[in-house]
Amino acid sequence: MENSEMGRPADYNEDEARLAKLGYKQNMKRQFSGLQNFGFTLTNASVLIGIIPLFGFGMATGGPVVAVWGWVLVAFFVSFIGLGMAEICSTFPTAGSLYFWTARLGGPKWGPMFSWFEAWFNLLGQVAGSSGSVLSAATFVNTLIAVWQEDYIPTGKKNFYIMAVLMVASGAVNTAGGRALKLASLVSVFVHVVGTIAIIVVVLVGAPKLQSAKFVFTDFEDYTGYTTNSNASPVLVFMLGLLQSQWSMLGYDASAHMSEETERSYVNGPRGIMMSILASALIGLGLALALSFGIQDYEATLNSPIGAAPQIFIDCAGKVGGSILIAIVIFAGFLCGIATVAANSRMLYAFARDGGLPYSRVWTVLDKRTQMPIRLVWLSVLGTIILALPALGSAAALSAISGISVIGFLISYAIPILLRITVGADTFVQNEFNLGRWSKPIGWVACIWTVFVFIIFNLPQTWPVKEMDKFNFTPAAVGFLIIFTTVTWFCSAQYWFKGPVSEIALKELDGEGTLKGDDDGVQKGSIHS
């Protein structure tokens, strides 16, 4: 039915009207389809750049049991988080996403404070995720060189410099505009799906011998020192090894961050979240199984100078074939960098739009050609490179950055879900995607899992810790952010930061038709004018 037949103007746009109901003008160009939104989200989750770089970490921290059953366990609990986020996203499809959700669900009393913490923790997760992903790609570039030049020695410094180059290239693609991002999104879906399948098939078919099912599904290994140098239970080692899987199951909030540029965002946003989790869970399990079956010599693979997963590639596909598989992972990491920069800049744009960043007016200027926050693209690139600086001198940099990303992301995911089932339970109105009476139990499971992850991934990854390059600096980074956000809130921000600021008056929509939300949809109320 035409809009005019529904009592609406002919140029009525549901996405723009819903965004206006939330207090914002349609400033950025709404140019991405549901498939492209899914592409961004799947790329942010990036199973290839999650499981493969940390496969050696998993081999040392639990072995095949962690790689397989740990993946199933993490995917199960992540689905609860995704469901909670998808429901909220359907009601509040904005670029600020989690930060905006938190302000709305917290109400006038709690919204500003919680949204302050939310924005900074989500930013930490976003930047750390981008940093870790592209650092992984850079490490594999070094690995590829080492495969063909036996006297080449990969170092942390070389990893960092290559990573910086890849980040600048990611920023350049974002600066090119919507067409470049659309193409990168579609290519990324192909690489992450077809590329992963290719790796699985090549490893399983080309392996000189396959490990037994008993080994893959039951073998436990501990090279952390916990069970040998202390009375720690193998269960603790298993839990530490979950980092490999949990880091691969993050970034699905990208679907929400891209909402203001996605068609039918109130449907495609939630759909992008859940489809990316499902796709990641399936292809990730296949990848974890293939790599575990493809291990030839456990000790040699774990201690390989080129890394565990690349060694499996070379063992199963030869020097040339293995190099092609490594190249697939590098390309996936680069595409992940492009997608994370896009998501980071949108989140920063929403935060700056509401006065949350210093010199906000400078950052919220959109590029006239692309209608995108290009200045924030490059701020995101710079922040990502800075966070990777520890890679210059720490062998544990990647696993530590991964831990930072996991904690930053999951806390930022849990805050709006917690508010949804507590102080915001009576005011939140479910829209197209809703969980009905299951909202609260699903939300509580998501929050409990987040608390568990926060504790586990702040622990030392080896025991005892005798060398600084084995030090897990996750607690330092997370602790600094907690202190920073707390001090800045109580000493300054509480007096001027009011959360999301309405760009337009709701009355401007009078006569444009009734939205699902006036009486039975989006809740009016806690946006500050």
Side-chain angles (χ1 to χ4, degrees):
M1 182 181 295
E2 298 294 334
N3 284 324
S4 57
E5 295 177 16
M6 298 173 64
R8 297 171 174 172
D11 61 350
Y12 177 87
N13 183 285
E14 182 74 8
D15 279 303
E16 292 184 17
R18 290 194 183 213
L19 184 61
K21 283 290 183 182
L22 298 177
Y24 295 116
K25 296 178 181 179
Q26 184 66 54
N27 293 320
M28 292 188 284
K29 187 176 180 180
R30 199 172 288 273
Q31 56 186 321
F32 301 123
S33 66
L35 177 61
Q36 290 158 347
N37 181 289
F38 165 67
F40 281 119
T41 312
L42 184 65
T43 305
N44 270 264
S46 191
V47 167
L48 278 176
I49 210 67
I51 290 180
I52 292 176
L54 286 183
F55 193 74
F57 173 86
M59 287 181 67
T61 317
V65 165
V66 167
V68 178
W69 296 115
W71 181 264
V72 173
L73 181 69
V74 168
F76 174 75
F77 283 108
V78 162
S79 66
F80 286 84
I81 298 175
L83 286 168
M85 291 172 59
E87 181 180 54
I88 303 173
C89 180
S90 183
T91 299
F92 304 130
T94 70
S97 60
L98 296 95
Y99 147 77
F100 181 93
W101 306 347
T102 299
R104 272 298 187 91
L105 294 168
K109 182 178 181 180
W110 299 107
M113 182 181 73
F114 276 104
S115 62
W116 176 259
F117 282 84
E118 169 66 40
W120 286 106
F121 270 98
N122 189 244
L123 178 61
L124 176 68
Q126 293 274 4
V127 174
S130 180
S131 184
S133 298
V134 183
L135 182 60
S136 297
T139 302
F140 274 67
V141 171
N142 258 329
T143 297
L144 191 57
I145 297 173
V147 169
W148 290 93
Q149 296 183 16
E150 295 182 1
D151 58 343
Y152 182 82
I153 302 176
T155 64
K157 288 184 178 180
K158 293 175 182 176
N159 289 341
F160 176 79
Y161 295 143
I162 295 172
M163 179 264 189
V165 171
L166 291 176
M167 282 308 308
V168 171
S170 297
V173 173
N174 273 268
T175 303
R179 288 185 179 180
L181 283 179
K182 289 178 183 179
L183 178 61
S185 174
L186 295 176
V187 170
S188 180
V189 172
F190 178 83
V191 170
H192 281 85
V193 176
V194 178
T196 303
I197 294 174
I199 291 175
I200 293 172
V201 172
V202 169
V203 168
L204 293 178
V205 174
K209 67 179 179 67
L210 293 176
Q211 294 288 344
S212 67
K214 180 180 180 181
F215 170 82
V216 171
F217 292 106
T218 65
D219 186 67
F220 173 83
E221 303 286 345
D222 176 26
Y223 290 82
T224 66
Y226 270 102
T227 58
T228 55
N229 298 324
S230 70
N231 294 320
S233 166
V235 175
L236 173 61
V237 178
F238 176 87
M239 292 189 294
L240 290 172
L242 294 177
L243 176 62
Q244 176 191 4
S245 299
Q246 182 62 81
W247 190 45
S248 301
M249 298 289 283
L250 293 172
Y252 33 91
D253 57 318
S255 180
H257 288 305
M258 303 302 290
S259 289
E260 291 184 32
E261 298 167 83
T262 301
E263 300 166 354
R264 299 187 71 236
S265 56
Y266 46 91
V267 173
N268 287 324
R271 185 177 294 165
I273 292 173
M274 296 313 302
M275 284 179 62
S276 67
I277 292 176
L278 177 60
S280 296
L282 293 176
I283 62 180
L285 179 60
L287 187 58
L289 285 168
L291 291 173
S292 298
F293 275 112
I295 297 172
Q296 299 303 298
D297 182 306
Y298 203 95
E299 291 282 348
T301 301
L302 179 61
N303 298 313
S304 172
I306 63 172
Q311 187 61 55
I312 294 173
F313 293 164
I314 300 298
D315 290 342
C316 296
K319 193 173 181 179
V320 175
S323 296
I324 293 174
L325 299 186
I326 293 172
I328 291 174
V329 178
I330 293 171
F331 191 38
F334 174 60
L335 291 169
C336 187
I338 295 172
T340 54
V341 167
N344 294 357
S345 61
R346 273 54 173 185
M347 183 271 163
L348 285 169
Y349 173 77
F351 194 36
R353 179 171 60 185
D354 298 325
L357 290 180
Y359 307 105
S360 290
R361 290 185 179 180
V362 174
W363 299 117
T364 53
V365 175
L366 296 177
D367 180 71
K368 292 182 179 179
R369 178 179 61 85
T370 63
Q371 291 181 262
M372 292 180 177
I374 300 301
R375 295 179 183 181
L376 289 171
V377 163
W378 290 103
L379 179 63
S380 174
V381 168
L382 178 62
T384 301
I385 293 174
I386 290 174
L387 192 60
L389 283 171
L392 291 171
S394 174
L398 180 57
S399 58
I401 291 174
S402 303
I404 293 170
S405 178
V406 168
I407 290 173
F409 267 125
L410 289 191
I411 288 179
S412 70
Y413 295 169
I415 289 176
I417 293 175
L418 178 63
L419 294 176
R420 156 72 182 93
I421 59 178
T422 54
V423 298
D426 294 333
T427 58
F428 181 81
V429 180
Q430 297 167 321
N431 261 14
E432 279 80 1
F433 186 99
N434 70 81
L435 304 175
R437 61 190 179 89
W438 292 100
S439 291
K440 286 192 175 181
I442 287 174
W444 281 117
V445 172
C447 292
I448 292 170
W449 177 252
T450 301
V451 173
F452 164 76
V453 166
F454 180 87
I455 295 171
I456 292 300
F457 294 161
N458 270 301
L459 297 177
Q461 295 167 344
T462 59
W463 190 263
V465 182
K466 296 181 179 180
E467 302 173 7
M468 278 304 296
D469 68 347
K470 300 295 184 182
F471 177 71
N472 179 13
F473 59 86
T474 299
V478 175
F480 170 79
L481 185 63
I482 292 174
I483 294 172
F484 169 80
T485 50
T486 302
V487 171
T488 52
W489 173 256
F490 286 103
C491 293
S492 175
Q494 67 168 319
Y495 301 110
W496 53 266
F497 181 73
K498 303 302 179 184
V501 179
S502 177
E503 289 186 322
I504 57 178
L506 295 180
K507 65 182 181 181
E508 290 180 14
L509 286 180
D510 288 348
E512 291 193 4
T514 301
L515 292 177
K516 184 175 182 180
D518 292 343
D519 298 313
D520 62 341
V522 179
Q523 190 78 16
K524 298 177 183 177
S526 56
I527 291 186
H528 301 269
S529 316

